[in-house]
């Protein structure tokens, strides 16, 4: 366990953190892409549920 903590501390020092501008850009990208994916899922859900209702109406 001590060896793991030493390795963890050593690796943590090598991490390069983004500056404020990079962080804002990446955050914006995540929000935009999440919104796009949510809209795609919403559209697919709508189309599939309407299709199922159509099929149920035929039976």
């Amino acid at each position: 366990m001590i060896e793991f903590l030493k390795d963890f501390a050593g690796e943590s020092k090598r991490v390069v953190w983004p500056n404020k501008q990079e962080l804002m850009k990446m955050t914006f990208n995540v929000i935009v892409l999440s919104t796009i994916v949510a809209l795609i899922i919403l559209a697919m859900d709508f189309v599939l549920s309407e299709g199922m209702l159509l099929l149920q109406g035929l039976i």
Side-chain angles (χ1 to χ4, degrees), residues 5 26 31 36 40 47 52:
L5 293 175
M26 288 188 282
I31 291 170
I36 291 170
I40 290 170
V47 168
M52 291 300 290

Side-chain angles (χ1 to χ4, degrees), residues 39-51:
L39 290 173
I40 290 170
I41 292 172
L42 176 69
M44 290 172 56
D45 180 54
F46 178 76
V47 168
L48 291 173
S49 63
E50 289 298 316

Side-chain angles (χ1 to χ4, degrees), residues 2-3 5 7-11 14-15 17 20 25-27 31 33 38-43 45 50 56 59:
I2 293 174
E3 184 71 26
L5 293 175
D7 290 341
F8 178 78
E11 290 294 327
R14 296 184 206 166
V15 174
W17 296 99
K20 185 176 181 177
K25 184 179 178 181
M26 288 188 282
T27 302
I31 291 170
L33 288 174
L39 290 173
I40 290 170
I41 292 172
L42 176 69
D45 180 54
E50 289 298 316
Q56 286 177 347
I59 297 177

Side-chain angles (χ1 to χ4, degrees), residues 20-38:
K20 185 176 181 177
Q21 183 180 9
E22 291 171 334
L23 181 64
M24 295 299 286
K25 184 179 178 181
M26 288 188 282
T27 302
F28 177 75
N29 288 342
V30 167
I31 291 170
V32 169
L33 288 174
S34 297
T35 303
I36 291 170
V37 169

